[in-house]
Structures are given as structure tokens and as C-alpha cells.
């Protein structure tokens, strides 16, 4: 545990000047931290380095405001040792590329040197948001991960209709819905696998997305927020992503949702994955989002909850127990 006084939080994110403040979940978390008296510090991946095994960053003091015209103010940056801070909030958006992986190694060192990292760097590396569903097959619809285009074609024939997507995408990018007999299926498989040179994922199509949407369930320290964010596709699109134009609604969690969370949540908590988003269509989990889950602002507004505050209180509890 670090020195007494106000808790100190470092946020690592994409440029804060470029966010959409009314929708940004990272800003919601930072506002909750500020309300609890935490000191905030800001960095991007460009600001991180290792020197003789010690994790460093160029950190700027940060103040945040719930104001769509002026939502942040930065102070003069200075070099600091990351392990001397209480919490490091890793909120860099995908793509999950080699640069992201290198950043997690730096955060590993910061963790070993005293900081609590949210989410834990090892989990960020190990839990690919699409592949990690394979650890919970009882919670998921039939799913295939392969580079073999013939295998993909057989899966599509077996299930009649399928969703095909890359393993590294986000925001609805490069998601295809195919029916058996579709003459575009071969070119889709070729595109996603780069002619059999990279893995892609194929899942049985779940028709509930049309009426009930692609539902985001947020887990804080393994426990679900009691409302799901429904992302309902437009009539001319298959994608339940807000970035792709889906409509945001919400609903209370049902018994099946809570069962899914009871299976997956404890394992996430044990792995130090403090803030995670489960994507659920109908009765099944389709993705487990560990990098920078969103949906806080929409659920806070619709239901008067404070999800960022719930997360900060959970992190404070872990610090107090250390």
C-alpha cells in the first residue's frame, strides 16, 4: 500500500481531447474518482517507458468536468515511477496489437512495484475478447475459431446462418452475417482469414439481436450491474454496436443473465479483471470485453446508477485490504 493521503490514480488512454464526453465511460470513471477526492494523472502509450526494469511515465496532473464544452484540464507533465501510484487505470482502446502488448509488460512491472492495475496486465494479454469465450462453452452459442476456410464453410452449412468476424476488431468493424448458399461466403472467408493465414471466428447467428439487441452487461469486481444496455441494430444493419448506429435501450438483468455472470464473474475477479463487459445475445455470451468496456454513461443516465463510483469503491476496497 502506498503512502497515506489522497489516493492517486493514473489513467492511460487515447488522447483525452478526442473523446466524446457525453458518451465516454473513461470520463465517467474519472469523474467518480474526483468526487471521492482522488488525485488524477494522465498519460498515453507514448508516455510510458522501462528503465532498468522500473516502469516510468510522463504524467500530467488531470482535472475533469462533466461539461461537454470543457471536460478536462491538464497540468505540466513530469516523469514519475508508476509503481508509486495507487491505481493505474488502463483504458487504451483497441486495436490489440503488439504495441498494446508491450504496454502491458510495462504495466506488469508497475504492478510488481506497488500499483494496482485495472485491468490486470496479464489478463489483458491472455483474455482475447472473442477467444476467451471458449473458456465458458456452456455460456456460448456454437462457435468456431479457425484459419481453415473449408471448416468455416462446413460450420455455415451446419447452422444455416452465422456471424463471421476478425479476432482483433471492435465497434462492429468487419462483421459479416452469412446464410448457407450465399455466393459471397468464400470472399468473406478469404478476407477474414487473409486466405487462410490468420484466425477468424464464426458463431451461430442468434436472431434475438433483431428485437432484443446485443446486450452489454457490466461486471465490477465480478458482480453485475443490475441493468443491461441493449444495442438494437437499425433495420438495414446486422450490427448491434453503438458505433455502427445501433439504438441504445436498457433492461433489468434476467435469471439467465445472472446465471451467466455467476459462471464467468468469479473467474474474472480472481484474475484481477475488475471492470469487464459481457456481450449477450438472447441466452448466450458472444464476447468478453476486458480492454476498455463502455456503456457507463448510458446506464447511469437511464437508471440513476453510478457505475464509475461502484468501480472506484471496489478498487479502494482492494487497496485497503492490501
Amino acid at each position: 500500500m502506498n503512502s497515506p493521503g489522497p489516493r492517486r490514480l493514473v489513467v492511460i488512454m487515447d488522447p483525452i481531447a478526442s473523446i466524446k464526453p457525453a458518451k465516454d465511460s473513461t470520463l465517467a470513471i474519472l469523474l467518480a474518482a474526483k468526487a471521492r477526492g482522488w488525485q488524477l494523472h494522465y498519460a498515453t502509450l507514448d508516455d510510458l517507458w522501462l528503465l532498468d526494469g522500473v516502469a516510468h511515465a510522463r504524467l500530467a496532473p488531470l482535472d475533469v468536468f462533466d461539461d461537454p464544452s470543457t471536460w478536462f484540464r491538464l497540468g505540466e507533465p513530469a516523469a514519475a515511477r508508476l509503481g508509486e501510484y495507487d491505481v493505474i487505470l488502463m483504458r487504451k482502446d483497441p486495436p490489440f496489437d503488439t504495441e498494446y502488448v508491450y504496454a502491458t509488460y510495462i504495466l506488469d512491472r508497475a504492478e510488481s512495484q506497488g500499483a494496482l492495475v485495472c485491468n490486470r496486465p496479464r489478463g489483458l494479454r491472455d483474455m482475447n475478447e472473442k477467444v476467451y469465450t471458449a473458456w465458458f462453452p456452456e455460456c456460448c452459442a456454437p462457435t468456431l475459431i479457425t484459419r481453415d476456410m473449408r471448416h468455416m464453410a462446413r460450420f455455415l452449412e451446419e447452422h444455416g446462418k452465422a456471424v463471421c468476424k476478425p479476432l482483433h476488431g471492435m465497434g462492429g468493424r468487419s462483421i459479416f452475417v452469412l446464410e448457407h448458399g450465399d455466393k459471397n461466403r468464400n470472399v468473406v472467408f478469404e478476407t477474414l482469414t487473409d486466405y487462410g493465414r490468420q484466425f477468424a471466428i464464426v458463431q451461430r447467428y442468434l436472431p434475438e439481436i433483431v428485437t432484443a439487441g446485443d446486450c452489454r452487461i457490466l461486471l465490477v469486481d465480478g458482480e453485475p450491474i443490475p441493468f443491461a444496455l441493449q444495442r438494437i441494430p437499425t433495420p438495414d444493419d446486422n450490427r448491434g454496436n453503438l458505433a455502427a448506429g445501433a439504438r441504445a435501450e436498457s433492461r433489468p438483468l434476467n435469471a439467465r443473465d445472472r446465471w451467466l455472470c455467476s459462471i464467468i464473474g468469479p473467474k474474472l475477479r480472481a484474475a484481477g479483471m475488475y471492470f469487464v463487459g459481457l456481450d449477450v445475445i438472447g441466452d448466450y455470451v458472444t464476447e468478453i470485453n476486458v480492454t476498455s468496456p463502455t456503456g457507463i454513461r448510458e446506464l447511469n443516465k437511464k437508471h440513476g446508477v453510478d457505475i464509475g463510483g461502484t468501480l472506484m469503491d471496489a478498487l479502494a476496497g482492494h487497496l485497503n485490504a492490501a
Side-chain angles (χ1 to χ4, degrees):
M1 202 164 123
N2 292 308
S3 59
R7 295 290 191 188
R8 300 193 298 167
L9 179 148
V10 174
V11 61
I12 299 168
M13 60 186 292
D14 291 309
I16 194 169
S18 301
I19 68 173
K20 297 178 180 178
K23 294 180 176 293
D24 195 83
S25 290
T26 302
L27 180 60
I29 297 169
L30 295 172
L31 288 166
K34 176 182 175 178
R36 284 156 176 75
W38 290 53
Q39 293 180 358
L40 307 180
H41 305 266
Y42 165 86
T44 67
L45 258 56
D46 294 344
D47 298 309
L48 308 182
W49 72 91
L50 278 175
L51 178 62
D52 298 329
V54 178
H56 292 79
R58 186 169 51 252
L59 301 179
L62 171 67
D63 199 0
V64 290
F65 313 94
D66 197 6
D67 182 338
S69 62
T70 307
W71 59 91
F72 75 100
R73 182 170 61 236
L74 293 173
E76 191 66 28
R81 296 188 175 204
L82 283 172
E84 296 177 356
Y85 289 75
D86 294 288
V87 169
I88 300 172
L89 188 65
M90 178 52 160
R91 291 286 298 177
K92 171 71 178 70
D93 283 340
F96 189 90
D97 54 14
T98 53
E99 291 303 304
Y100 192 106
V101 172
Y102 296 150
T104 67
Y105 293 139
I106 297 174
L107 296 180
D108 264 336
R109 297 301 298 155
E111 183 180 54
S112 70
Q113 291 154 12
L116 186 156
V117 183
C118 174
N119 284 322
R120 195 171 187 184
R122 180 176 179 177
L124 291 174
R125 288 194 301 273
D126 289 353
M127 297 178 183
N128 176 277
E129 303 190 330
K130 297 173 179 65
V131 179
Y132 191 58
T133 58
W135 272 247
F136 308 96
E138 70 275 30
C139 300
C140 303
T143 300
L144 169 69
I145 297 170
T146 184
R147 292 161 41 135
D148 189 325
M149 292 180 282
R150 293 168 300 178
H151 200 177
M152 298 170 86
R154 289 195 296 270
F155 183 94
L156 178 58
E157 181 179 4
E158 177 184 355
H159 294 285
K161 192 172 183 177
V163 176
C164 312
K165 50 191 175 181
L167 294 180
H168 59 273
M170 63 167 289
R173 296 174 187 169
S174 301
I175 293 178
F176 299 89
V177 175
L178 293 175
E179 295 189 36
H180 178 56
D182 191 321
K183 293 183 178 180
N184 288 309
R185 65 187 183 280
N186 289 335
V187 72
V188 169
F189 298 156
E190 291 163 2
T191 300
L192 290 177
T193 67
D194 190 20
Y195 293 88
R197 288 189 287 265
Q198 62 188 29
F199 287 97
I201 185 169
V202 187
Q203 295 171 318
R204 188 180 74 195
Y205 178 78
L206 299 170
E208 294 88 346
I209 191 171
V210 176
T211 55
D214 185 346
C215 296
R216 167 63 55 82
I217 299 174
L218 294 175
L219 297 175
V220 175
D221 210 14
E223 293 294 328
I225 300 300
F227 304 98
L229 180 65
Q230 297 172 278
R231 297 156 309 170
I232 300 174
T234 60
D236 59 352
D237 205 321
N238 287 303
R239 297 171 296 174
N241 302 85
L242 298 182
R247 183 177 82 253
E249 301 290 346
S250 67
R251 61 168 177 78
L253 299 192
N254 58 38
R256 174 70 177 183
D257 297 328
R258 294 187 180 279
W259 180 82
L260 295 170
C261 294
S262 74
I263 299 297
I264 300 173
K267 293 186 179 181
L268 293 171
R269 186 181 193 277
M273 309 310 282
Y274 303 106
F275 186 54
V276 176
L278 303 184
D279 288 349
V280 176
I281 300 175
D283 288 338
Y284 299 106
V285 172
T286 61
E287 294 188 16
I288 300 174
N289 291 272
V290 301
T291 50
S292 56
T294 61
I296 289 180
R297 298 288 263 184
E298 292 86 353
L299 289 174
N300 281 356
K301 183 177 179 180
K302 287 177 179 291
H303 298 286
V305 291
D306 179 12
I307 298 170
T310 302
L311 175 60
M312 295 313 305
D313 293 343
L315 296 177
H318 282 283
L319 292 173
N320 292 336

